[in-house]
Amino acid sequence: MKALLINPSIYDFAAYNFWSSPLGLLYIGSILRKNGATLNLIDCMRVVETKRKADGRAPFVKEKVPKPDALKGVRRHYRRYGISRETLLNELSCLDAPDLILITSIMTYWYPGTKEAVEAAREVFPGSKIVIGGIYPSLCYEEARQQLRAADLIVKHNEIEKFYRFVEDITSTTLMFKPSIYEMDILPYPCYDLYGAIPFVPLLTSFGCIYRCTYCATPHMHPVVVRRSHFSVLEEIRHWYGIGVKRFVVYDDNFLYDKDRYAKPLLRGIAKLPFHIDIYNPNAVNAALIDEELAALFCASGFRELRVGLETIDPEAQRSTGGKITTKFFERALAVLRVAGFDMDAVSVYILAGLPFQKWETVKEAVDYLFALGVRPYVAEYTPIPHTEMFEKYRDFARHPIAQDALYQNNALLPFAWEGFTENDLRYLKRYIREKRLPG
């Protein structure tokens, strides 16, 4: 069996490679390889290597493109991030026809890039079977069926058995290795060897989250928390380090949950390795779970920065959106990080902006609060995500039809802008943060 993996280009108003990688696609590729498949990979999300930072981040290659009709009224430049359709067609034409083509789809509003990849693959390989997976079909299944009609199979995140049966049917074989995605300790390492160079490797140590934040789809996607043993993670780190990888990225949604059984043993093990690595966490950790030992372990294990979630300093908003953090616990976390000697210039704190009926002044208050504490705020625009409590409760109040077309779920559109929080207010806040300096 020959399989081709495609990570498609995206179309958006802004994008940057903050350690993004098609991890799920690469795991599925490795499972197929374990069953005897030969693999090829086309990752359309190329970056400008000459501008890659020391920490592994880099800008995507990009080109200004016309906006789709649905976004004509938006006064921002629209771009393709990644290679063009013509380049993709050329790269496809250089390959032998695969039996199976797997294409991922990440953010719901990035589906135009997935659609483009599906249609290009169908044009070049009319006889190959095309399978689509990822977040978009998992959250917007019926829409994905309409938009991606050239695909032979569209699967949700929890339909791995359906995928296995499809592969067995088209190849008339029996797959001997068919793990659940939740059998994390037996999954083969993702097939990053298909890349010429590996600037970083994501580490996924768990699925799910104990919290039920009203804006987050993790409880819908993974309703039960599943953890990987820290021994398994350490072995994977040793594997990648042995072939030259020194940067690792924690992808977990709730890395610190049950910290005494998982995060702490893992970080102790990393600290004891006979080599040093760099660790980054684009998905924020919960400050309420940071204690003295964890703070010291962040330093010892190689965290080069620490992204922390606060979201808001409004007690009522904290309670109503999930109740996972309070300012009291947040300040305690900062205090123990300082005592441990963590570089506070390397701490970034997420504040949510653009929530339904949120006032811009509440975001500025949170920004000023963080600056006063000596840490840098990072404004994260709210993305309305299907199957979340906040989406279902407020979708009819959005200024775009977010439930009808996933294009409108793009946080760059500020879907819940209103007179109390306009696009100009958001621009002011971002400028204010850029110009304001930390004390001392």
Side-chain angles (χ1 to χ4, degrees):
M1 174 174 51
K2 292 183 289 187
L4 170 63
L5 316 180
I6 301 178
N7 184 33
S9 296
I10 66 174
Y11 289 82
D12 206 336
F13 297 98
Y16 190 89
N17 189 331
F18 285 95
W19 305 289
S20 60
S21 184
L23 183 59
L25 178 70
L26 299 178
Y27 266 122
I28 297 300
S30 288
I31 291 172
L32 290 178
R33 185 159 59 185
K34 192 97 170 176
N35 283 284
T38 57
L39 304 178
N40 277 304
L41 168 69
I42 297 179
D43 191 335
C44 300
M45 296 301 295
R46 312 283 164 80
V47 302
V48 183
E49 286 293 345
T50 56
K51 294 184 178 181
R52 188 182 290 279
K53 296 183 178 181
D55 60 12
R57 294 178 295 171
F60 292 117
V61 298
K62 62 185 180 182
E63 182 180 1
K64 194 183 302 182
V65 297
K67 300 185 189 80
D69 290 341
L71 304 177
K72 289 291 187 185
V74 181
R75 293 184 174 182
R76 296 183 63 177
H77 293 307
Y78 200 59
R79 291 182 173 88
R80 180 192 61 252
Y81 294 87
I83 62 175
S84 67
R85 184 179 191 277
E86 292 71 26
T87 301
L88 174 58
L89 286 169
N90 289 336
E91 295 191 8
L92 289 169
S93 65
C94 293
L95 300 174
D96 293 333
D99 302 296
L100 188 63
I101 301 174
L102 308 182
I103 304 177
T104 190
S105 187
I106 312 299
M107 304 301 284
T108 59
Y109 47 85
W110 286 347
Y111 73 79
T114 302
K115 185 175 183 179
E116 180 178 86
V118 172
E119 292 172 354
R122 176 61 71 219
E123 179 179 331
V124 178
F125 301 122
S128 300
K129 299 299 183 181
I130 300 176
V131 180
I132 308 298
I135 294 174
Y136 174 54
S138 297
L139 296 178
C140 305
Y141 182 73
E142 292 303 323
E143 180 180 328
R145 289 182 61 196
Q146 294 300 314
Q147 293 289 349
L148 308 175
R149 294 182 181 182
D152 295 287
L153 178 69
I154 298 175
V155 290
K156 301 178 184 179
H157 65 286
N158 58 358
E159 295 182 327
I160 189 71
E161 292 296 334
K162 180 179 179 181
F163 169 71
Y164 290 148
R165 289 194 298 271
F166 179 81
V167 174
E168 290 178 330
D169 287 344
I170 66 168
T171 59
S172 300
T173 59
T174 299
L175 299 178
M176 302 306 295
F177 181 64
K178 296 185 286 187
S180 161
I181 62 169
Y182 297 119
E183 295 180 279
M184 302 186 74
D185 286 334
I186 68 169
L187 291 177
Y189 302 148
C191 49
Y192 282 99
D193 57 283
L194 297 177
Y195 290 88
I198 310 174
F200 59 85
V201 165
L203 296 173
L204 187 62
T205 78
S206 68
F207 283 109
C209 181
I210 60 167
Y211 299 102
R212 296 297 182 263
C213 297
T214 58
Y215 48 80
C216 180
T218 293
H220 171 77
M221 297 278 286
H222 307 288
V224 177
V225 176
V226 178
R227 303 301 302 248
R228 183 178 172 191
S229 78
H230 70 277
F231 299 108
S232 169
V233 181
L234 287 170
E235 282 303 308
E236 183 175 5
I237 291 172
R238 291 188 185 97
H239 167 80
W240 294 119
Y241 186 86
I243 58 176
V245 179
K246 298 181 180 179
R247 302 186 198 98
F248 295 87
V249 184
V250 176
Y251 267 20
D252 294 45
D253 290 306
N254 194 12
F255 178 61
L256 301 185
Y257 166 62
D258 206 359
K259 58 191 175 185
D260 291 318
R261 293 179 60 199
Y262 293 100
K264 286 183 179 180
L266 173 59
L267 297 183
R268 288 189 204 109
I270 293 173
K272 292 177 182 178
L273 291 172
F275 51 80
H276 299 288
I277 62 173
D278 296 338
I279 304 175
Y280 303 91
N281 70 307
N283 288 350
V285 294
N286 184 356
L289 301 178
I290 299 175
D291 58 22
E292 291 82 354
E293 184 181 9
L294 267 178
L297 286 170
F298 286 141
C299 298
S301 61
F303 273 76
R304 298 304 172 222
E305 68 166 35
L306 190 66
R307 296 183 180 232
V308 181
L310 178 60
E311 282 81 51
T312 178
I313 63 171
D314 180 347
E316 173 55 26
Q318 288 173 344
R319 184 199 61 77
S320 65
T321 57
K324 70 178 181 181
I325 186 65
T326 65
T327 51
K328 176 182 177 181
F329 284 120
F330 176 75
E331 290 175 16
R332 186 191 67 180
L334 294 187
V336 298
L337 286 168
R338 283 194 171 92
V339 170
F342 198 89
D343 180 6
M344 301 308 288
D345 289 337
V347 176
S348 297
V349 183
Y350 288 131
I351 295 293
L352 277 175
L355 294 167
F357 300 110
Q358 183 183 40
K359 293 183 177 180
W360 74 269
E361 292 92 343
T362 64
V363 178
K364 184 176 182 297
E365 289 170 5
V367 166
D368 288 335
Y369 167 78
L370 293 173
F371 273 120
L373 290 176
V375 290
R376 181 159 295 280
Y378 181 90
V379 171
E381 292 101 314
Y382 164 63
T383 300
I385 305 174
H387 303 286
T388 63
E389 181 181 334
M390 190 171 286
F391 183 96
E392 300 303 330
K393 183 176 181 179
Y394 292 105
R395 66 184 188 179
D396 292 337
F397 295 94
R399 59 177 179 161
H400 306 296
I402 59 174
Q404 297 176 25
D405 188 337
L407 272 179
Y408 293 117
Q409 294 163 16
N410 192 332
N411 61 5
L413 300 177
L414 201 60
F416 287 91
W418 65 297
E419 61 184 14
F421 200 142
T422 66
E423 290 170 316
N424 285 335
D425 295 327
L426 181 61
R427 282 191 286 269
Y428 163 75
L429 287 167
K430 290 186 174 182
R431 185 173 65 251
Y432 180 75
I433 291 172
R434 286 195 303 270
E435 296 175 354
K436 194 172 178 65
R437 296 185 178 182
L438 290 170

